[in-house]
Amino acid sequence: LSLSLRKLGLSSVLSLLAITVAWSCIYKLNILESGVIVDFADGVAHFDLSRGALENPKNFFDNWARPAHVLFSVLPAQLGIEVYVLSHILLMVVNSILIIHLGTRWSLVAPWFLPWWMIANTAVIHVALGGLTEPLFISLSLLSLVLLDAKMWFGLGLVLGATLMARHEALLLIAVVLFYVSYSEGYNEVYRCVISFFLLLIAVSILGIVWGGKSSLLWIVMDQPYGRNPNVYGAGTWTHFWDNRRFWASKVMIGAFAISLGVALFELITTKKLNVKLIPFAIALGTLTAHSILWKFGWMGSLGLTRILSIAVPFMALGVHTLNWKGGLFVVPLFLGHVYQWNRDSP
């Protein structure tokens, strides 16, 4: 991270300082001064499972709590829920560094603006203040793209394995990243990623059998955390996330992403060449599509919770910032329009 900071420009460093102050104020006002418990259900449950993991090692292998998240939050949880939430706020600062690093490396317009899409977002604020699994998943996902950009294949495989132990949406991320690596670099690099990926998964799977009471090496992907009821949240319509966009986005943000996606697809058709900048589009669009299908048919717990789309927000932002029109003059008004709508409509 220190290396990344040295390579960033002055505007990016100032933006990081400002975003750190902003996240600190959100934490101070809501947690320290108001004593708000943002998520009375899942947030408190995640805190309790992490706090009790030292006494009950099976918590480290709980497929609802997610092993990576319990491991990350076990020590902060011992110090109380305020410190537990603070660790997730610090993750959002790290995420800001990672996304600016990617924007700078990929020569996106106004990379210093990228983290502000995350903080001007109800869903992201909710999962951060709620101490949920999404901030860690965002960190691991962005880190995987940083390692991909640096061509650190063994480390990339390890982080991809960690993402799978953070949230099941990692299956999409893993498929997209490994496909791109095989296309752009060749199968030798894919093998190095896959080897480290499976080394981590096998090690954790064995530990789950020894200490977690699991009965199969495939428990990481096969265990259904909702038991025999795969439809605990119900089901709904195809337009569920659009109808409830005020909880996670705005018309301007979704429209900006759609415009940038159209431009990216046009460039792909005309150049017939895959570019690393297409990865955020695949992840964001794939996440929205997958959850729309799950919610429509009530599969796998029927994940229609709008806060889950917080994991798509940083990738939507990366996509929007590919709009290199007059040095980013198109991106800034779009962001300001999003902030206006978000501030007007969000709960």
Side-chain angles (χ1 to χ4, degrees), residues 160-347:
L160 289 177
T163 62
L164 186 57
M165 290 181 283
R167 290 192 65 87
H168 280 120
E169 287 89 349
L171 292 170
L172 171 66
L173 171 72
I174 293 166
V176 170
V177 169
L178 291 184
F179 173 80
Y180 180 80
V181 173
S182 64
Y183 172 84
S184 62
E185 302 293 337
Y187 289 108
N188 288 335
E189 282 69 21
V190 173
Y191 292 149
R192 294 165 67 183
C193 290
V194 170
I195 288 172
S196 58
F197 174 82
F198 279 108
L199 282 176
L200 178 62
L201 259 62
I202 291 171
V204 175
S205 296
I206 293 173
L207 290 175
I209 292 176
V210 175
W211 289 336
K214 303 296 183 179
S215 58
S216 169
L217 280 174
L218 301 178
W219 64 266
I220 291 177
V221 293
M222 298 300 293
D223 272 12
Q224 167 57 270
Y226 300 103
R228 296 188 178 185
N229 184 1
N231 198 22
V232 295
Y233 294 117
T237 64
W238 286 110
T239 59
H240 170 71
F241 291 106
W242 170 259
D243 296 337
N244 293 279
R245 61 191 175 275
R246 71 190 185 98
F247 291 102
W248 68 278
S250 68
K251 287 182 180 178
V252 174
M253 183 178 183
I254 296 171
F257 179 72
I259 293 171
S260 61
L261 175 61
V263 173
L265 290 176
F266 176 78
E267 292 178 352
L268 175 62
I269 293 171
T270 54
T271 62
K272 295 181 173 62
K273 183 178 180 181
L274 286 178
N275 189 293
V276 69
K277 298 176 186 178
L278 291 170
I279 291 179
F281 290 105
I283 295 173
L285 188 61
T287 300
L288 178 57
T289 302
H291 280 283
S292 296
I293 295 172
L294 293 174
W295 176 248
K296 170 61 180 176
F297 297 103
W299 294 337
M300 294 181 65
S302 195
L303 298 174
L305 300 175
T306 51
R307 70 172 189 238
I308 293 176
L309 287 193
S310 60
I311 64 179
V313 170
F315 300 105
M316 292 177 68
L318 287 167
V320 171
H321 280 245
T322 62
L323 291 172
N324 190 10
W325 182 71
K326 292 189 177 181
L329 292 179
F330 194 49
V331 170
V332 174
L334 286 173
F335 174 79
L336 294 177
H338 159 69
V339 170
Y340 170 76
Q341 267 197 344
W342 170 71
N343 184 64
R344 183 192 65 189
D345 300 335
S346 66

